[in-house]
Amino acid sequence: MAKTSAPEVALPKARSNWEILHRALRYFRPHWKIATANMACALLSLVFSFAFPQVTQFIIDDVVGHHEISLLTPAIMALLAAYLARDFFDSLRIRVNSIFEQDVIYDMRGEIYGRLQRLPVQSFDKTSSGDLMTRVMDDVTAVERVVIDGFEMGVISLVSVLAVGTILLFKNAELALYVVVPVPILIIGTLWYTKAAHARYRMQRLAAATMNALLSDNLQGVRQIKAFGQEDQEGARFAVYADALRRRSLAVMNLWSIYSPAMNFVGSLGIILVLIVGGPLVVSGRMTLGELVGFIFYLPLFYDPIGRLHRLNQMFQAARASSERIYDIIDTTEEGANRQNAVALSQPVRGDVRYRNVSFSYGTSIDALKDITLHARPGQMIALVGPTGAGKSTLVNLLLAFYQRSAGKIEIDGQDIDRVTIESLRGAIGVVSQDVFLFNGTIRENVLFACGDATDEDVFAACRAANCHEFIQALPDGYDSRVGERGIRLSVGERQRISIARAILKNAPILILDEATASVDTATEHLIQEALQRLTSHRTSFVVAHRLSTVRHADQIIVLRHGEIVERGTHAELLKRDGLYRMLCRTQDETYLDGDMGRILSFASSNVPKTMAAEHER
Ligand SMILES: Nc1ncnc2c1ncn2[C@@H]1O[C@H](COP(=O)(O)OP(=O)(O)OP(=O)(O)O)[C@@H](O)[C@H]1O
Ligand SMILES: [Mg+2]
């Protein structure tokens, strides 16, 4: 059976209306001026909209009622002016509102992206990039909508309900009482909707994030999908999650389809009541016809804002579900939050690295590393070898503080890496990681990634050392060639050499090469090895390699298996032992051990004069 499980997307922590409101208001503070302008325009527009019922009443009672036809023209002119003013301020409001809106979106995206970058690596192991994309793009927009439009809509609606309510009370207190009869029902309906909608919106956001997670996963794996002929299956799988989103969205809208008209209906009951009670009042002469018509024309100005408050509640519940997803990220503890008193790594970094009884687990019951103790002296090359899954990459990633150890200590020049700043720690380490990643830009940008102010000459020199200068120059656009997403337009070996050039350019005192030359041919590898040897001769390096010939001359070879160090020593020492290393060597190169042992050993040691020195040191 093909893959059927849903992409992993977590449901965020539920949060109260108050928390969401309170936190949303925070985004206002820096923009209070534009917020005020927005509100002023909205209020002015609202005030001028009151002219219509007022002028209508005047025309019916004073112009028509008293046959004062000469007053009609000024009344019409006044109404025209009021309409013009209303729409002018509305136009201004839309403009100001858009600026305000985009400013807040910009702030929020900046904050959430800034946060994302500072999350521990572990968070990214758990959350899919499609889910995170949804949060930065869609969820931010949903939250912003309520912050801006909601704020404006809420205030204007409240003001207009109160203002119109007061006007109605003054016009005719008795009739005004009937107007508010439906209000308690409206409040109860709103409370019911708030609860029901929140749960549905949460599920809808989850469905959207799940679909996006699948989408981004499949777009990245499009070659695999094609190669394994899984287009139809994946299409069907996508349809399942797109359908889930369709159903979740419908669930939200269905609720709204009941709530919104029901509330409108209840509101209309007020108009009916006014007609029932108002009609006889006019007939009995206790109220003029103009007053009743004016009163009725005011009613939409009372009930429409109540309807808008309902829509606002809908928006707010949608935004609440989105906010929860955003605040989950914003509230995640930042990487390095436990390093308040951290100091910079003392300069210059000599590169003395010690692991003391380090253990680590990825959160499963199996330890990825168990009681690792090792010492790399300044300038030494430490090779990490062992079967796949042994924990080699994990071991070097701990030096970069990508993950928090469960036990033990790591020191650089005697300084505990937990007590130094993340920037200074990572600044001291150059990395060529196992899964090479190039950014979607030019080759030059990718090499310059670690060291933006390097000159072209520096870039060329680094590329020459990584043996990629020639092939780059042969490209039509040379160093300005674009590499495509993840560097897809280059071969794996080419990507690997560019990432080596990037690490060379960084010129850090400690170097991590995790399978750095695994994907290049042996002739190229030989050239890169020479360059790396020059590079590693005066810096501490950790070299992970499956091809054991590349680490023969290391000062110390550490053999890992199941997260434990099972052997350590120089190539020559390890060959003498009948252990895992010797077995690995034998499987890689039968002739290697069957041949003249003395010749092999002398080759190994003559290539690395440092090895002997290191042995003496021990
Ligand atoms: N991000 C992760 N989350 C959970 N488990 C992981 C993660 N990365 C690695 N592991 C597990 O930790 C163990 C060690 O993995 P590691 O990548 O360190 O092996 P390795 O020695 O580098 O292997 P290889 O030679 O294949 O690169 C493996 O069993 C692997 O399944
Ligand atoms: Mg690895």
Side-chain angles (χ1 to χ4, degrees), residues 451-516:
C451 198
D453 52 0
T455 62
D456 272 357
E457 273 319 306
D458 297 334
V459 172
F460 298 159
C463 288
R464 277 197 199 96
N467 200 31
C468 54
H469 182 67
E470 278 75 36
F471 105 76
I472 296 171
Q473 283 211 311
L475 292 171
D477 293 325
Y479 277 85
D480 294 317
S481 310
R482 300 195 68 91
V483 300
E485 196 171 36
R486 304 174 143 251
I488 198 79
R489 288 185 210 151
L490 299 176
S491 83
V492 180
E494 287 165 349
R495 268 179 252 165
Q496 204 155 43
R497 282 180 280 161
I498 289 174
S499 82
I500 292 174
R502 177 155 78 188
I504 291 175
L505 190 63
K506 183 168 176 187
N507 194 21
I510 300 168
L511 198 61
I512 293 174
L513 304 169
D514 193 347
E515 296 283 356

Coordinates of all heavy atoms in Angstrom, one line a residue, residues 451-516:
C451 N 30.3 34.9 4.1 CA 31.4 36.0 4.2 C 31.1 37.0 3.2 O 31.8 37.1 2.2 CB 32.7 35.3 4.0 SG 34.1 36.2 4.5
G452 N 30.1 37.8 3.4 CA 29.5 38.8 2.4 C 30.5 39.8 1.9 O 30.4 40.2 0.8
D453 N 31.5 40.1 2.7 CA 32.4 41.2 2.3 C 33.7 40.7 1.6 O 34.6 41.5 1.3 CB 32.8 42.1 3.5 CG 33.3 41.3 4.6 OD1 33.4 40.0 4.5 OD2 33.6 41.9 5.7
A454 N 33.8 39.4 1.3 CA 35.0 38.9 0.6 C 35.1 39.4 -0.8 O 34.0 39.7 -1.4 CB 34.9 37.4 0.6
T455 N 36.3 39.6 -1.3 CA 36.4 40.1 -2.7 C 36.3 38.9 -3.7 O 36.3 37.8 -3.3 CB 37.9 40.7 -2.8 OG1 38.8 39.6 -2.6 CG2 38.1 41.8 -1.8
D456 N 36.2 39.3 -4.9 CA 36.1 38.3 -6.0 C 37.4 37.4 -5.9 O 37.3 36.2 -6.1 CB 36.1 39.0 -7.4 CG 34.6 39.3 -7.7 OD1 33.7 38.9 -6.9 OD2 34.4 39.9 -8.8
E457 N 38.5 38.0 -5.7 CA 39.7 37.2 -5.6 C 39.6 36.1 -4.5 O 40.1 35.0 -4.8 CB 40.9 38.1 -5.4 CG 41.5 38.7 -6.6 CD 41.6 37.7 -7.8 OE1 42.2 36.6 -7.6 OE2 41.1 38.0 -8.8
D458 N 39.1 36.5 -3.4 CA 38.9 35.5 -2.3 C 38.0 34.4 -2.7 O 38.3 33.2 -2.5 CB 38.3 36.2 -1.0 CG 39.2 37.3 -0.5 OD1 40.4 37.2 -0.7 OD2 38.6 38.2 0.2
V459 N 36.9 34.8 -3.4 CA 36.0 33.8 -3.9 C 36.6 32.8 -4.9 O 36.5 31.6 -4.8 CB 34.7 34.5 -4.6 CG1 33.8 33.4 -5.2 CG2 34.0 35.2 -3.5
F460 N 37.4 33.4 -5.8 CA 38.1 32.5 -6.8 C 39.1 31.6 -6.1 O 39.2 30.4 -6.4 CB 38.8 33.4 -7.8 CG 37.9 34.3 -8.7 CD1 38.4 35.4 -9.3 CD2 36.5 34.0 -8.8 CE1 37.5 36.2 -10.0 CE2 35.7 34.8 -9.5 CZ 36.2 35.9 -10.1
A461 N 39.8 32.2 -5.2 CA 40.8 31.3 -4.5 C 40.1 30.2 -3.7 O 40.6 29.0 -3.8 CB 41.6 32.2 -3.5
A462 N 39.0 30.5 -3.1 CA 38.3 29.4 -2.3 C 37.8 28.4 -3.3 O 37.9 27.2 -3.1 CB 37.1 30.0 -1.6
C463 N 37.3 28.8 -4.5 CA 36.8 27.9 -5.5 C 37.9 27.1 -6.1 O 37.7 25.9 -6.4 CB 36.0 28.6 -6.5 SG 34.4 29.2 -5.9
R464 N 39.0 27.7 -6.3 CA 40.2 26.9 -6.8 C 40.5 25.8 -5.8 O 40.7 24.7 -6.2 CB 41.4 27.9 -7.1 CG 41.3 28.6 -8.4 CD 42.6 29.2 -8.8 NE 42.3 30.2 -9.8 CZ 42.2 31.5 -9.5 NH1 42.5 31.9 -8.3 NH2 42.0 32.4 -10.4
A465 N 40.6 26.2 -4.6 CA 40.9 25.2 -3.5 C 39.9 24.1 -3.5 O 40.3 22.9 -3.3 CB 41.0 25.9 -2.2
A466 N 38.7 24.4 -3.7 CA 37.6 23.4 -3.7 C 37.5 22.7 -5.1 O 36.6 21.9 -5.3 CB 36.3 24.0 -3.3
N467 N 38.4 23.1 -6.0 CA 38.4 22.5 -7.3 C 37.1 22.7 -8.1 O 36.6 21.8 -8.8 CB 38.8 21.0 -7.2 CG 39.3 20.5 -8.5 OD1 39.9 21.2 -9.3 ND2 39.0 19.2 -8.8
C468 N 36.5 23.9 -7.9 CA 35.3 24.1 -8.7 C 35.4 25.3 -9.6 O 34.5 25.7 -10.4 CB 34.1 24.1 -7.8 SG 34.1 25.3 -6.5
H469 N 36.5 26.0 -9.5 CA 36.7 27.3 -10.3 C 36.6 27.0 -11.8 O 35.8 27.8 -12.4 CB 38.1 27.9 -9.9 CG 38.3 29.2 -10.6 ND1 37.6 30.3 -10.3 CD2 39.2 29.5 -11.6 CE1 38.1 31.3 -11.1 NE2 39.0 30.9 -11.9
E470 N 37.2 26.0 -12.3 CA 37.2 25.7 -13.7 C 35.8 25.5 -14.2 O 35.3 26.1 -15.2 CB 38.1 24.5 -14.1 CG 39.5 24.9 -14.2 CD 40.2 25.0 -12.8 OE1 39.8 24.3 -11.9 OE2 41.0 25.9 -12.7
F471 N 35.1 24.6 -13.5 CA 33.7 24.3 -14.0 C 32.8 25.5 -13.9 O 32.0 25.7 -14.8 CB 33.2 23.0 -13.3 CG 32.1 23.3 -12.3 CD1 30.8 23.6 -12.7 CD2 32.4 23.2 -11.0 CE1 29.8 23.8 -11.8 CE2 31.4 23.5 -10.0 CZ 30.1 23.8 -10.4
I472 N 33.0 26.3 -12.9 CA 32.1 27.5 -12.8 C 32.4 28.5 -13.9 O 31.5 29.0 -14.6 CB 32.3 28.2 -11.4 CG1 31.9 27.3 -10.3 CG2 31.5 29.5 -11.4 CD1 32.3 27.8 -8.9
Q473 N 33.7 28.6 -14.2 CA 34.0 29.6 -15.3 C 33.6 29.1 -16.7 O 33.3 29.9 -17.6 CB 35.5 29.8 -15.3 CG 36.0 30.7 -14.2 CD 37.2 31.5 -14.6 OE1 38.1 30.9 -15.0 NE2 37.1 32.8 -14.4
A474 N 33.5 27.8 -16.8 CA 33.0 27.2 -18.1 C 31.5 27.4 -18.3 O 31.0 27.3 -19.4 CB 33.4 25.7 -18.2
L475 N 30.8 27.7 -17.2 CA 29.3 27.9 -17.4 C 29.1 29.2 -18.1 O 29.9 30.2 -18.0 CB 28.7 28.0 -16.0 CG 28.7 26.8 -15.1 CD1 28.2 27.1 -13.7 CD2 27.8 25.7 -15.8
P476 N 28.0 29.3 -18.9 CA 27.7 30.5 -19.7 C 27.7 31.8 -18.9 O 28.3 32.8 -19.3 CB 26.3 30.3 -20.3 CG 26.1 28.8 -20.1 CD 27.0 28.3 -19.1
D477 N 27.2 31.7 -17.7 CA 27.2 32.9 -16.8 C 28.2 32.9 -15.7 O 28.2 33.7 -14.8 CB 25.8 33.1 -16.2 CG 24.7 33.4 -17.3 OD1 25.1 34.1 -18.3 OD2 23.6 33.0 -17.2
G478 N 29.1 32.0 -15.8 CA 30.2 31.9 -14.8 C 29.7 31.9 -13.4 O 28.7 31.2 -13.0
Y479 N 30.2 32.8 -12.6 CA 29.9 32.9 -11.2 C 28.5 33.4 -11.0 O 27.9 33.4 -9.9 CB 30.9 33.7 -10.4 CG 32.1 32.9 -10.0 CD1 33.2 32.7 -10.9 CD2 32.2 32.3 -8.8 CE1 34.3 32.0 -10.5 CE2 33.2 31.5 -8.4 CZ 34.3 31.4 -9.3 OH 35.4 30.6 -8.9
D480 N 27.9 34.0 -12.0 CA 26.6 34.6 -11.9 C 25.5 33.6 -12.3 O 24.3 34.0 -12.5 CB 26.4 35.9 -12.7 CG 27.3 37.0 -12.0 OD1 27.3 37.1 -10.8 OD2 28.0 37.7 -12.8
S481 N 25.9 32.4 -12.6 CA 24.9 31.3 -13.0 C 24.0 31.1 -11.8 O 24.4 31.0 -10.7 CB 25.6 30.0 -13.4 OG 26.6 30.3 -14.3
R482 N 22.7 30.9 -12.1 CA 21.8 30.6 -11.1 C 21.7 29.1 -10.8 O 21.8 28.3 -11.8 CB 20.4 31.2 -11.4 CG 20.4 32.7 -11.6 CD 19.0 33.3 -11.6 NE 18.4 33.2 -10.3 CZ 18.5 34.1 -9.3 NH1 19.2 35.2 -9.6 NH2 18.0 33.9 -8.2
V483 N 21.6 28.7 -9.6 CA 21.7 27.3 -9.3 C 20.3 26.6 -9.1 O 20.3 25.4 -9.1 CB 22.5 27.1 -8.0 CG1 23.9 27.6 -8.1 CG2 21.8 27.7 -6.8
G484 N 19.2 27.4 -9.1 CA 17.9 26.8 -9.0 C 17.6 26.4 -7.5 O 18.5 26.6 -6.6
E485 N 16.4 26.0 -7.3 CA 16.0 25.7 -5.9 C 16.9 24.5 -5.4 O 17.1 23.5 -6.0 CB 14.5 25.3 -5.9 CG 14.0 25.3 -4.5 CD 12.5 25.1 -4.5 OE1 12.0 24.3 -5.3 OE2 11.8 25.7 -3.7
R486 N 17.4 24.7 -4.2 CA 18.3 23.8 -3.5 C 19.6 23.5 -4.4 O 20.2 22.5 -4.1 CB 17.6 22.5 -3.2 CG 16.4 22.7 -2.4 CD 15.6 21.4 -2.2 NE 15.0 21.4 -0.9 CZ 15.5 20.6 0.1 NH1 16.4 19.7 -0.1 NH2 14.9 20.7 1.2
G487 N 19.8 24.2 -5.4 CA 21.0 24.0 -6.2 C 20.7 22.9 -7.3 O 21.6 22.2 -7.8
I488 N 19.4 22.7 -7.6 CA 19.0 21.6 -8.5 C 19.7 21.6 -9.9 O 19.8 20.5 -10.5 CB 17.5 21.6 -8.6 CG1 16.9 20.2 -9.0 CG2 16.9 22.7 -9.5 CD1 16.9 19.2 -7.9
R489 N 20.1 22.8 -10.3 CA 20.7 22.8 -11.7 C 22.1 22.4 -11.8 O 22.7 22.4 -12.8 CB 20.5 24.2 -12.3 CG 19.1 24.6 -12.6 CD 19.0 25.9 -13.3 NE 17.7 26.5 -12.9 CZ 17.5 27.8 -12.9 NH1 18.4 28.6 -13.1 NH2 16.3 28.3 -12.5
L490 N 22.7 22.0 -10.6 CA 24.0 21.5 -10.6 C 24.1 20.1 -10.2 O 23.1 19.6 -9.6 CB 24.9 22.3 -9.6 CG 24.9 23.8 -9.8 CD1 25.7 24.5 -8.6 CD2 25.6 24.1 -11.1
S491 N 25.2 19.4 -10.6 CA 25.3 18.0 -10.2 C 25.6 18.0 -8.7 O 26.0 19.0 -8.1 CB 26.4 17.3 -11.0 OG 27.6 17.6 -10.4
V492 N 25.4 16.8 -8.1 CA 25.6 16.7 -6.6 C 27.1 17.0 -6.3 O 27.4 17.7 -5.3 CB 25.2 15.3 -6.1 CG1 25.4 15.2 -4.6 CG2 23.8 15.0 -6.5
G493 N 28.0 16.5 -7.1 CA 29.4 16.7 -6.9 C 29.8 18.2 -7.0 O 30.6 18.7 -6.3
E494 N 29.1 18.9 -8.0 CA 29.4 20.3 -8.2 C 28.9 21.1 -6.9 O 29.5 22.0 -6.4 CB 28.7 20.8 -9.4 CG 29.3 20.4 -10.7 CD 28.5 20.5 -12.0 OE1 27.3 20.8 -11.8 OE2 29.0 20.4 -13.1
R495 N 27.7 20.7 -6.5 CA 27.1 21.4 -5.3 C 28.0 21.2 -4.1 O 28.3 22.1 -3.3 CB 25.8 20.7 -5.0 CG 24.6 21.4 -5.6 CD 23.3 20.7 -5.2 NE 22.8 20.0 -6.3 CZ 21.8 19.0 -6.3 NH1 21.3 18.7 -5.1 NH2 21.4 18.4 -7.3
Q496 N 28.5 20.0 -4.0 CA 29.4 19.6 -2.9 C 30.6 20.5 -2.9 O 31.0 21.0 -1.9 CB 29.7 18.2 -2.9 CG 30.1 17.6 -1.6 CD 29.8 16.1 -1.6 OE1 30.2 15.4 -2.5 NE2 29.3 15.6 -0.5
R497 N 31.2 20.7 -4.1 CA 32.4 21.5 -4.2 C 32.1 22.9 -3.9 O 33.0 23.6 -3.2 CB 33.1 21.3 -5.5 CG 33.8 20.0 -5.6 CD 34.4 19.8 -6.9 NE 33.5 19.3 -7.9 CZ 33.7 19.4 -9.2 NH1 34.8 19.9 -9.7 NH2 32.8 18.9 -10.1
I498 N 31.0 23.4 -4.3 CA 30.6 24.8 -4.0 C 30.5 25.0 -2.4 O 30.9 26.0 -1.9 CB 29.4 25.3 -4.7 CG1 29.7 25.4 -6.2 CG2 28.8 26.6 -4.2 CD1 28.6 25.7 -7.1
S499 N 29.9 24.0 -1.8 CA 29.7 24.1 -0.4 C 31.1 24.0 0.3 O 31.2 24.6 1.4 CB 28.7 23.1 0.1 OG 29.3 21.9 0.3
I500 N 32.0 23.3 -0.3 CA 33.4 23.3 0.3 C 34.0 24.6 0.2 O 34.6 25.2 1.1 CB 34.2 22.2 -0.4 CG1 33.7 20.8 0.0 CG2 35.7 22.3 0.1 CD1 34.4 19.7 -0.7
A501 N 33.8 25.2 -1.0 CA 34.4 26.6 -1.2 C 33.8 27.6 -0.2 O 34.5 28.4 0.3 CB 34.1 27.0 -2.6
R502 N 32.5 27.4 0.1 CA 31.9 28.3 1.0 C 32.5 28.2 2.4 O 32.8 29.1 3.1 CB 30.4 27.9 1.1 CG 29.5 28.6 2.0 CD 28.1 28.5 1.6 NE 27.4 27.2 1.8 CZ 26.2 26.9 1.3 NH1 25.6 27.7 0.6 NH2 25.7 25.7 1.6
A503 N 32.8 26.9 2.8 CA 33.4 26.7 4.1 C 34.9 27.2 4.1 O 35.3 27.7 5.1 CB 33.4 25.2 4.5
I504 N 35.5 27.0 3.0 CA 36.9 27.5 2.9 C 37.0 29.0 3.1 O 37.8 29.5 3.8 CB 37.6 27.0 1.6 CG1 37.8 25.5 1.5 CG2 38.9 27.8 1.3 CD1 38.3 25.0 0.2
L505 N 36.0 29.6 2.4 CA 36.0 31.1 2.4 C 35.7 31.6 3.8 O 36.2 32.7 4.3 CB 34.9 31.6 1.5 CG 34.9 33.1 1.2 CD1 36.2 33.6 0.6 CD2 33.7 33.5 0.3
K506 N 35.0 30.8 4.6 CA 34.6 31.3 6.0 C 35.9 31.4 6.8 O 36.0 32.1 7.8 CB 33.6 30.4 6.6 CG 33.1 30.8 8.0 CD 31.9 30.1 8.5 CE 31.6 30.5 9.9 NZ 30.5 29.7 10.5
N507 N 36.8 30.5 6.5 CA 38.1 30.5 7.1 C 38.0 30.5 8.7 O 38.6 31.3 9.4 CB 38.8 31.8 6.7 CG 40.3 31.8 7.1 OD1 40.9 30.7 7.3 ND2 40.9 33.0 7.2
A508 N 37.3 29.5 9.1 CA 37.0 29.4 10.6 C 38.1 28.5 11.2 O 38.6 27.6 10.5 CB 35.6 28.8 10.8
P509 N 38.4 28.6 12.5 CA 39.4 27.8 13.1 C 39.0 26.4 13.3 O 39.9 25.5 13.6 CB 39.6 28.5 14.5 CG 38.4 29.4 14.7 CD 37.9 29.7 13.4
I510 N 37.8 26.1 13.3 CA 37.3 24.7 13.4 C 36.5 24.3 12.2 O 35.7 25.1 11.7 CB 36.5 24.5 14.7 CG1 37.3 24.8 15.9 CG2 36.0 23.0 14.8 CD1 36.4 24.9 17.2
L511 N 36.8 23.1 11.6 CA 36.1 22.8 10.4 C 35.4 21.4 10.6 O 35.9 20.5 11.1 CB 37.2 22.6 9.3 CG 36.8 22.7 7.9 CD1 36.1 24.0 7.5 CD2 38.0 22.5 7.0
I512 N 34.2 21.3 10.1 CA 33.4 20.1 10.1 C 33.2 19.7 8.6 O 32.6 20.5 7.8 CB 32.1 20.2 10.8 CG1 32.3 20.5 12.3 CG2 31.2 19.0 10.6 CD1 31.0 20.8 13.0
L513 N 33.6 18.5 8.2 CA 33.4 18.1 6.9 C 32.7 16.8 7.0 O 33.2 15.7 7.3 CB 34.8 17.8 6.1 CG 35.7 19.0 6.1 CD1 37.1 18.6 5.6 CD2 35.1 20.1 5.2
D514 N 31.4 16.8 6.8 CA 30.5 15.6 6.9 C 30.3 15.0 5.5 O 29.5 15.5 4.8 CB 29.2 16.0 7.6 CG 28.4 14.8 8.1 OD1 28.8 13.6 7.7 OD2 27.5 14.9 8.8
E515 N 31.1 14.0 5.2 CA 31.0 13.4 3.9 C 31.2 14.4 2.8 O 30.4 14.4 1.8 CB 29.6 12.7 3.7 CG 29.4 11.5 4.7 CD 30.1 10.3 4.3 OE1 30.8 10.3 3.2 OE2 30.1 9.3 5.0
A516 N 32.2 15.3 3.0 CA 32.3 16.4 2.1 C 32.7 16.0 0.7 O 32.4 16.8 -0.3 CB 33.3 17.4 2.6

